[in-house]
Amino acid sequence: MPDYLSVSSLTKYLKLKFDRDPYLERVYLTGQVSNFRPRPNHQYFSLKDDKAVIQATMWAGVFRQLGFQIEEGMKVNVIGRIQLYEPSGSYSIVIEKMEPDGIGALALQFEQLKKALTKEGLFNPEWKHPLPQFVKKIGVVTSPSGAVIRDIITTVSRRFPGVEILLFPTKVQGDGAAQEIAANIATANLREDLDVLIVGRGGGSMEDLWAFNEEIVVRAIFESQIPVISSVGHETDTTLADFVADRRAATPTAAAELATPVTKSDILAWVMERENRAYQASLRLLRQREERLKALQSSVIFRQPERLYDGYLQKLDTLTSNMTAQMRQIYAEHLREERLLSQRLYSLDMAGRLRYLSEKIAQQERLLKSHMVNVYDQKVAKADKLIETLATLDTSRILARGYAMVSQKNHLVDSVEKVDVTEEVAIQMRDGQLIAEVKEVKKVNG
């Protein structure tokens, strides 16, 4: 009678075969990713071709070191070992290494990160800083032992002597290089004396230049407030640092040329152009002031300022004449009354006449004095008030209190509706005049 094996015995026997077979300890497979759903830790999916499917397992540590994102339907090359899972009797491959088929993992990682950062807007032109035309100090983030710093020093010294170069010694390849590059870019931005920052290294393979494709470096360049020139590898090499930098230079020499003026003649041309612009601006201002002076000289008010007071002086003269006439009339009336009293005195005895006359004269003197004092005080008060009112119309006193007169095209401006936007206005103050340009007119509601 044959010996019957249990299912577990058979499965265990097969597992031992799987584990001891040297051909299954390391398997190289090509397949298409299927049923992939990202999980927090270990990844479980399938690899298939047009005729078969095998289950795949990738432990969390291997998955974190991939450097690219696994996508459904992606064709990959994997290295792993075959194992049999006893409870289900199924076999699978435990993946130890994976890379995209056809292109390298780094190339895929480059394209995926470039796509994500482009979507985020880090490479948009509106974020680029303009390079300064003249610099005093250039910061360089690169290796202190490479040819990059020597080329930059040589080029800057030849083209624009006197510019100071500050080196930030940096590891540019291998583990920790990206973190060191980003940290030195941040350190450079803590200074206030750097005009431009050159970040780069010499040529090499994609693996050698990979630190300049790391997201931490790209974001450090994007956040830099100092304009950044990227000079990584040779002219044919392109990194994500080149996309995010304010300018990209094919070589360190080109980076130094971008950071400094072209030639001495260009500097002289720049100075002469600005000198000419300053001269033309001064000439225009001088002509405007001459025209303004001529307009003021032709104004009657400024040629004969006393005409501002003519009306008030005439009114004061009229009031003075009226007061004099009234005083004369009062005096004449009292004189007539005195004559009448004198005639009546002859009918009285001498003593009575003298007493009556003295009393009457004293009474009249008191009345006359009181009346004249009242009239005089009233006229003086009225005259003082007129003089005070006249003084308030004196523009020099108004200006002395902090006010100003605004005019445009030789006309005083008393409303915003009379002001032309973008035109110049003259603002007269107590100690001089300002010429201002109207940018905006705002009306007060109500």
Side-chain angles (χ1 to χ4, degrees):
M1 185 176 181
D3 294 329
Y4 288 89
L5 297 176
S6 65
V7 175
S8 59
S9 297
L10 177 60
T11 304
K12 189 172 184 178
Y13 172 78
L14 293 175
K15 178 173 172 52
L16 290 174
K17 286 289 187 181
F18 272 76
D19 293 341
R20 294 175 182 178
D21 190 334
Y23 293 103
L24 300 179
E25 289 180 353
R26 174 150 293 203
V27 178
Y28 298 80
L29 289 182
T30 296
Q32 188 176 6
V33 175
S34 177
N35 296 321
F36 177 77
R37 300 292 183 270
R39 292 174 171 82
N41 296 307
H42 310 309
Q43 306 300 315
Y44 303 95
F45 53 95
S46 303
L47 292 177
K48 68 177 183 178
D49 57 22
D50 55 351
K51 295 181 180 179
V53 177
I54 184 173
Q55 300 301 311
T57 301
M58 181 179 292
W59 305 128
V62 177
F63 180 69
R64 283 195 296 268
Q65 296 178 1
L66 274 184
F68 65 94
Q69 296 178 3
I70 300 176
E71 298 176 356
E72 180 72 15
M74 177 185 292
K75 190 174 182 181
V76 294
N77 297 323
V78 301
I79 302 175
R81 58 185 175 83
I82 301 298
Q83 72 170 7
L84 187 143
Y85 185 58
E86 294 182 61
S88 64
S90 62
Y91 76 98
S92 63
I93 181 170
V94 178
I95 297 175
E96 299 172 354
K97 186 176 180 180
M98 173 188 285
E99 65 178 16
D101 183 52
I103 60 175
L106 290 180
L108 179 61
Q109 185 178 353
F110 177 91
E111 291 300 329
Q112 288 179 341
L113 184 56
K114 178 184 175 183
K115 181 179 179 181
L117 295 178
T118 300
K119 186 177 180 180
E120 192 174 337
L122 267 66
F123 305 147
N124 291 355
E126 60 263 27
W127 302 120
K128 307 292 185 183
H129 296 97
L131 298 182
Q133 190 162 11
F134 300 102
V135 298
K136 295 180 180 179
K137 184 176 288 189
I138 300 173
V140 181
V141 178
T142 190
S143 170
S145 59
V148 173
I149 186 62
R150 293 196 298 271
D151 291 346
I152 291 174
I153 293 173
T154 301
T155 303
V156 171
S157 300
R158 171 176 54 82
R159 290 168 57 83
F160 207 60
V163 173
E164 185 178 349
I165 296 176
L166 180 62
L167 173 65
F168 294 85
T170 308
K171 183 180 180 181
V172 295
Q173 180 178 337
D175 294 338
Q179 289 73 17
E180 194 168 330
I181 294 168
N184 278 339
I185 292 174
T187 300
N189 274 267
L190 296 177
R191 303 179 64 97
E192 298 181 354
D193 57 345
L194 294 180
D195 300 303
V196 70
L197 194 62
I198 298 176
V199 179
R201 56 153 291 158
S205 64
M206 190 173 191
E207 289 79 4
D208 295 337
L209 306 180
W210 189 252
F212 295 89
N213 289 320
E214 294 282 1
E215 185 174 357
I216 187 175
V217 173
V218 176
R219 293 194 180 277
I221 295 175
F222 178 79
E223 294 170 1
S224 174
Q225 297 303 308
I226 304 172
V228 176
I229 300 175
S230 173
S231 176
V232 181
H234 299 297
E235 186 171 358
T236 56
D237 297 320
T238 303
T239 64
L240 295 180
D242 297 327
F243 288 105
V244 75
D246 299 299
R247 292 290 294 274
R248 188 247 179 180
T251 63
T253 299
E257 291 174 349
L258 286 173
T260 54
V262 180
T263 61
K264 182 178 180 180
S265 60
D266 291 330
I267 300 174
L268 293 176
W270 182 86
V271 173
M272 292 179 63
E273 189 268 338
R274 285 191 171 43
E275 181 182 5
N276 182 62
R277 288 173 59 183
Y279 171 77
Q280 294 296 333
S282 301
L283 187 61
R284 287 194 298 271
L285 181 61
L286 182 60
R287 288 174 178 172
Q288 291 173 358
R289 296 294 174 83
E290 288 178 348
E291 293 175 358
R292 180 67 178 165
L293 180 60
K294 290 179 181 179
L296 292 175
Q297 289 174 344
S298 62
S299 174
V300 174
I301 293 177
F302 286 91
R303 284 188 293 107
Q304 298 178 350
E306 64 274 7
R307 295 184 62 174
L308 289 170
Y309 305 92
D310 285 351
Y312 297 98
L313 291 175
Q314 290 176 2
K315 189 173 183 180
L316 182 60
D317 290 341
T318 300
L319 293 173
T320 302
S321 298
N322 292 339
M323 184 178 67
T324 303
Q326 290 179 5
M327 292 180 66
R328 287 177 179 175
Q329 182 179 357
I330 293 172
Y331 178 76
E333 291 177 355
H334 284 286
L335 184 60
R336 286 195 297 271
E337 185 176 355
E338 182 183 358
R339 289 174 180 174
L340 181 60
L341 291 174
S342 297
Q343 293 175 1
R344 294 177 61 184
L345 284 175
Y346 286 107
S347 60
L348 300 174
D349 58 90
M350 184 61 65
R353 278 188 273 175
L354 290 175
R355 188 170 53 254
Y356 177 80
L357 182 60
S358 298
E359 293 175 355
K360 202 65 176 177
I361 290 174
Q363 181 184 9
Q364 293 298 323
E365 287 180 349
R366 288 194 299 271
L367 291 173
L368 179 60
K369 184 178 180 180
S370 175
H371 182 73
M372 292 183 67
V373 168
N374 290 337
V375 171
Y376 179 77
D377 289 342
Q378 292 175 2
K379 299 301 181 182
V380 169
K382 191 171 184 180
D384 290 341
K385 186 174 182 181
L386 290 173
I387 292 173
E388 183 180 354
T389 302
L390 182 61
T392 60
L393 298 176
D394 188 349
T395 56
S396 62
R397 294 191 178 187
I398 297 174
L399 296 179
R401 294 201 303 270
Y403 291 90
M405 292 193 303
V406 181
S407 61
Q408 188 178 56
K409 298 180 180 178
N410 303 330
H411 296 289
L412 288 177
V413 176
D414 60 355
S415 171
V416 295
E417 296 181 351
K418 297 182 180 180
V419 178
D420 296 327
V421 178
T422 71
E423 293 292 333
E424 290 185 344
V425 296
I427 303 174
Q428 183 67 40
M429 306 182 76
R430 65 178 180 80
D431 57 350
Q433 188 181 69
L434 300 175
I435 301 299
E437 181 179 349
V438 179
K439 294 295 186 181
E440 184 179 3
V441 174
K442 293 184 177 179
K443 296 182 179 181
V444 178
N445 294 333

